[in-house]
Amino acid sequence: MQDGNQPVNTQRLSQSKEPPEFDTAFRRALRDLMRWRRDVRHFRADPVDRGLVMACLEEACKGPSVGNSQPWRFVFVDTPEARAKVKANFESANADALGSYHGEKAERYARLKLSGLDIAPVQIAVFADLESTEGAGLGARTMPETKAYSVVAAIQCLWLLLRAEGLGLGWVSILEPDRLSADLAAEPGWRFIGHLCIGWPEEAQEHPELEREGWQARLPVERFVKEV
Ligand SMILES: Cc1cc2nc3c(=O)[nH]c(=O)nc-3n(C[C@H](O)[C@H](O)[C@H](O)COP(=O)(O)O)c2cc1C
């Protein structure tokens, strides 16, 4: 695990003691943040200050979690050996995935860039600790999967915080989770959630890469809403 005692760059954090007012300009900026957050796979090789990533991570850990259990666990994948294992895992899972498509879809899939593993300066494997006792099981008794959901909520917060700093995040899930957990010496009871590639994006984009590549377009919200 990353050294949790490493000092965090707090200069960017608000020191305000009063409840803030989220004015019109802020709300507009927040919507812009939603619109311009992207899953990023094309990074510049420039280094990223670890203090800045830790500051964003600290804020992301203020996200919601079932029973306030805070089950997120972050493994910084720094060494070339560990990165090579993740890359090999991705290549094998990606080849398997390609084999499940046929014809034009297979050709399209093969052309997609589905990770920034080769270049992202910061890489974090994220796990949910399913055996942690924090929160004493509140909210998770009938739905133990809420621990994993809580970790996803933190990742989403991190995604937005990083984007606001100009950093990009790419979520890689084309991985065999048991192999990845073993390769990264994840602790017993930890479930793999996602591998995050972080760095300075080559360019800002308003639309998802998969939409731009003709794989899957965004759909109107009405498609997802039902009234009973
Ligand atoms: C749970 C999850 C897993 C994902 N796994 C991958 C992945 O393995 N490779 C990839 O290129 N993108 C992956 N993505 C990113 C999605 O492709 C991306 O979010 C989607 O196309 C919409 O683009 P946007 O995030 O830029 O809006 C993943 C996203 C989520 C939420």
Side-chain angles (χ1 to χ4, degrees):
M1 292 280 284
Q2 161 80 7
D3 176 4
N5 297 321
Q6 198 167 313
V8 160
N9 175 2
T10 51
Q11 278 174 359
R12 290 163 184 267
L13 308 182
S14 162
Q15 302 300 318
S16 163
K17 298 266 182 277
E18 294 298 314
E21 261 193 42
F22 299 116
D23 59 14
T24 307
F26 174 83
R27 289 197 294 273
R28 190 173 301 129
L30 183 59
R31 285 176 183 213
D32 283 344
L33 179 58
M34 298 294 158
R35 259 183 52 213
W36 287 88
R37 178 209 55 79
R38 283 284 68 76
D39 185 273
V40 176
R41 299 138 217 188
H42 305 269
F43 297 100
R44 305 198 319 252
D46 318 19
V48 174
D49 175 26
R50 182 63 63 95
L52 176 56
V53 175
M54 284 303 294
C56 290
L57 205 52
E58 186 180 31
E59 294 304 296
C61 289
K62 297 192 174 90
S65 65
V66 65
N68 207 16
S69 58
Q70 302 150 78
W72 34 73
R73 305 292 180 259
F74 304 100
V75 177
F76 279 74
V77 181
D78 289 333
T79 64
E81 295 75 26
R83 287 193 176 190
K85 287 178 181 166
V86 176
K87 184 87 189 298
N89 187 328
F90 169 78
E91 278 169 0
S92 137
N94 202 33
D96 282 355
L98 174 59
S100 69
Y101 296 105
H102 303 284
E104 194 262 343
K105 203 73 177 166
E107 279 168 32
R108 232 176 236 278
Y109 185 91
R111 282 199 298 271
L112 295 172
K113 179 170 172 59
L114 294 170
S115 90
L117 287 170
D118 43 352
I119 190 160
V122 178
Q123 297 189 25
I124 310 175
V126 187
F127 296 83
D129 185 348
L130 303 182
E131 291 179 1
S132 72
T133 53
E134 282 90 6
L138 188 152
R141 199 169 72 84
T142 55
M143 294 185 64
E145 65 272 26
T146 47
K147 287 247 178 116
Y149 298 166
S150 304
V151 177
V152 175
I155 293 174
Q156 179 63 17
C157 293
L158 181 64
W159 216 328
L160 294 169
L161 285 153
L162 291 170
R163 179 63 187 88
E165 298 286 352
L167 283 162
L169 181 153
W171 184 325
V172 187
S173 60
I174 306 167
L175 293 161
E176 203 292 298
D178 292 340
R179 174 177 164 188
L180 189 113
S181 300
D183 282 345
L184 300 184
E187 296 189 18
W190 287 15
R191 174 176 159 197
F192 176 64
I193 302 296
H195 186 83
L196 311 182
C197 292
I198 296 168
W200 301 105
E202 274 183 1
E203 56 185 2
Q205 288 287 350
E206 189 181 356
H207 300 288
E209 185 158 333
L210 291 188
E211 182 163 280
R212 287 181 278 124
E213 295 294 329
W215 182 266
Q216 174 62 60
R218 279 250 152 86
L219 301 168
V221 67
E222 293 74 23
R223 281 274 299 267
F224 311 128
V225 178
K226 175 180 148 98
E227 290 172 354
V228 292

